[in-house]
Amino acid sequence: FTAGTKLHGAGYGGLVDASSALKEPEHIMIYFSAHWCPPCREFTPLLKRFYEDANASQKRVEVIFVSCDASEPDAENYCRTAHGEWLSVPFGSDAMLRLKQRYGIWAGPDNENPFFQGMSSIKRNGIPTLILVDRDGRELSAQARNAVTRAVHHWPSILPSSPSTPTTPPNKHQKKKQRRKQQ
């Protein structure tokens, strides 16, 4: 994210400078998603929970939402009703198109956009896609969605406890180990 790139602040708020907003977090994830996509609506609450718990004591993770919705009102409504307090790329902006092109991710209404015509050879993923990047936008992992899903299901071993941290009941192996300790 170059100096001068503007992003919507938390919850589709006012515009903020990307370089300033991304100074503090250790990890940056770019989230390609849309409200019309059932797998997105399933994953977004997991990402929101991960984001909130990861940042409970200090800002460790930032998520940047890139919409694949058909309109700005759809994207804004999705942000305000389902997303965490993360950043988002302004709908229809050059930055939004460049990110979709750079990472080869677009879906739904984007397929009709003349900007993406003739680019099918670089398209690699559908949505939802969560990509872990460094501060310069270099891709570190395109499998961040899988990592977040696993983390949410194993909170106690991944993140420090917080009041909203869900607890997972012990599995058979853990119960057996607990019984041996009690004997």
Side-chain angles (χ1 to χ4, degrees):
F1 292 91
T2 59
T5 300
K6 299 293 184 190
L7 300 171
H8 282 288
Y12 215 79
L15 295 177
V16 297
D17 183 65
S19 57
S20 297
L22 299 174
K23 278 185 181 177
E24 187 181 351
E26 299 168 35
H27 308 286
I28 300 167
M29 293 185 253
I30 303 174
Y31 183 41
F32 298 85
S33 179
H35 86 284
W36 53 261
C37 165
C40 297
R41 289 194 314 266
E42 183 179 317
F43 176 70
T44 298
L46 293 176
L47 180 57
K48 180 180 179 183
R49 187 165 49 182
F50 174 83
Y51 180 86
E52 290 169 352
D53 285 349
N55 293 324
S57 61
Q58 70 180 47
K59 186 72 156 198
R60 295 168 52 192
V61 174
E62 188 55 78
V63 173
I64 302 168
F65 170 60
V66 179
S67 177
C68 294
D69 284 301
S71 70
E72 184 168 14
D74 288 344
E76 183 176 351
N77 185 53
Y78 186 38
C79 283
R80 292 185 190 277
T81 61
H83 288 201
E85 293 293 311
W86 51 68
L87 304 171
S88 60
V89 177
F91 188 86
S93 67
D94 286 342
M96 184 178 99
L97 294 174
R98 285 193 316 270
L99 286 168
K100 289 177 180 184
Q101 179 185 26
R102 178 176 185 170
Y103 298 107
I105 299 163
W106 59 88
D110 293 329
N111 292 318
E112 304 304 317
N113 186 327
F115 181 83
F116 296 110
Q117 300 305 308
M119 292 189 197
S120 61
S121 64
I122 66 166
K123 186 174 182 179
R124 62 178 187 177
N125 285 329
I127 56 174
T129 296
L130 184 66
I131 298 178
L132 178 66
V133 299
D134 67 14
R135 292 193 195 298
D136 296 320
R138 285 186 299 263
E139 185 176 317
L140 302 174
S141 174
Q143 301 301 317
R145 176 182 167 202
N146 296 336
V148 165
T149 300
R150 282 191 308 272
V152 167
H153 292 100
H154 297 94
W155 277 133
S157 62
I158 305 289
L159 296 171
S161 294
S162 74
S164 63
T165 301
T167 57
T168 304
N171 61 32
K172 290 179 190 178
H173 176 72
Q174 292 166 327
K175 286 179 183 178
K176 189 175 181 180
K177 196 174 185 179
Q178 288 172 349
R179 280 194 300 266
R180 274 189 259 147
K181 282 184 179 180
Q182 291 173 351
Q183 294 175 352

